[in-house]
């Protein structure tokens, strides 16, 4: 009887020791760049999933082909930023100044874009499918919508509901 209990305890400890560290290794904390001065920084091609950039100054920064899925960019300055072919799916891009930004071929599916400024922005081939925009933003973006997103195959005008 003691042999069975001892063996069961030993097996339980072995399973706990082997399985538990695997769970701890899988979790990584998201990057935080909140309130940072990131002008002209090069983030091209980087994995920045769930990174936080709220209230950051990112003028002229380069995010070409960056993975920004689920990133928080709220209330940031992103004038003349390069977001060409970046994936901003589920990102929070609310209250962001995107004046003269390059959003060509970017994926903004289900992104929160309320109160974002889109003055002189390039949206050729951008995919805004199910993005949260107000009517004035949609009207402004529909006036310049053109192209097809190379990753999703969706026309920009269709993704905006123009």
């Amino acid at each position: 009887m003691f042999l069975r209990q001892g063996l069961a305890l030993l097996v339980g400890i072995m399973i706990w020791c082997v399985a538990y560290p695997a769970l701890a290794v899988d979790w990584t904390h998201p990057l935080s760049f909140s309130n940072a001065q990131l002008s002209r920084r090069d983030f091209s091609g980087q994995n920045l999933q769930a990174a936080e950039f709220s209230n950051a100054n990112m003028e002229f920064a380069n995010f070409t082909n960056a993975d920004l899925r689920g990133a928080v960019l709220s209330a940031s300055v992103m004038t003349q930023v390069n977001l060409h072919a970046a994936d901003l799916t589920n990102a929070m891009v609310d209250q962001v100044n995107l004046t003269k930004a390059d959003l060509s071929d970017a994926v903004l599916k289900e992104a929160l874009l309320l109160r974002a400024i889109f003055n002189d922005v390039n949206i050729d081939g951008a995919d805004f499918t199910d993005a949260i925009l107000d009517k004035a933003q949609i009207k402004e973006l529909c006036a310049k919508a053109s192209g097809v997103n190379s990753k999703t195959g969706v026309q920009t005008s269709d993704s905006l509901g123009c």
Side-chain angles (χ1 to χ4, degrees):
M1 175 116 170
F2 290 113
L3 182 60
R4 282 191 213 175
Q5 289 176 343
L7 186 58
L9 178 63
L10 182 61
V11 170
I13 290 172
M14 287 175 49
I15 291 172
W16 182 79
C17 289
V18 172
Y20 186 72
L23 295 174
V25 173
D26 290 342
W27 171 252
T28 56
H29 294 283
L31 297 171
S32 180
F33 297 98
S34 292
N35 302 305
Q37 292 295 324
L38 303 170
S39 293
R40 301 183 190 282
R41 284 277 301 266
D42 187 4
F43 293 99
S44 58
Q46 292 188 28
N47 180 355
L48 300 165
Q49 287 184 48
E52 187 172 343
F53 293 92
S54 56
N55 298 306
N57 180 1
M58 296 179 278
E59 293 179 293
F60 300 100
N62 184 5
F63 288 94
T64 302
N65 290 307
D67 186 350
L68 290 158
R69 290 178 290 168
V72 178
L73 305 157
S74 301
S76 293
V77 176
M78 297 182 76
T79 55
Q80 299 187 44
V81 71
N82 187 350
L83 289 160
H84 173 76
D87 190 345
L88 291 132
T89 301
N90 294 313
M92 291 182 65
V93 194
D94 57 310
Q95 303 176 56
V96 174
N97 186 347
L98 291 163
T99 298
K100 296 185 179 178
D102 182 0
L103 290 170
S104 61
D105 213 32
V107 178
L108 297 125
K109 293 169 84 172
E110 299 178 3
L112 177 63
L113 297 159
L114 293 174
R115 295 177 55 196
I117 299 169
F118 293 103
N119 295 334
D120 299 320
V121 69
N122 177 3
I123 60 165
D124 186 40
D127 184 351
F128 291 92
T129 302
D130 297 324
I132 300 172
L133 296 151
D134 63 36
K135 289 182 183 183
Q137 289 172 309
I138 293 170
K139 184 177 179 182
E140 176 186 3
L141 293 172
C142 281
K144 56 183 110 190
S146 65
V148 175
N149 187 278
S150 66
K151 293 177 192 127
T152 64
V154 175
Q155 289 187 357
T156 301
S157 57
D158 289 346
S159 70
L160 287 165
C162 301

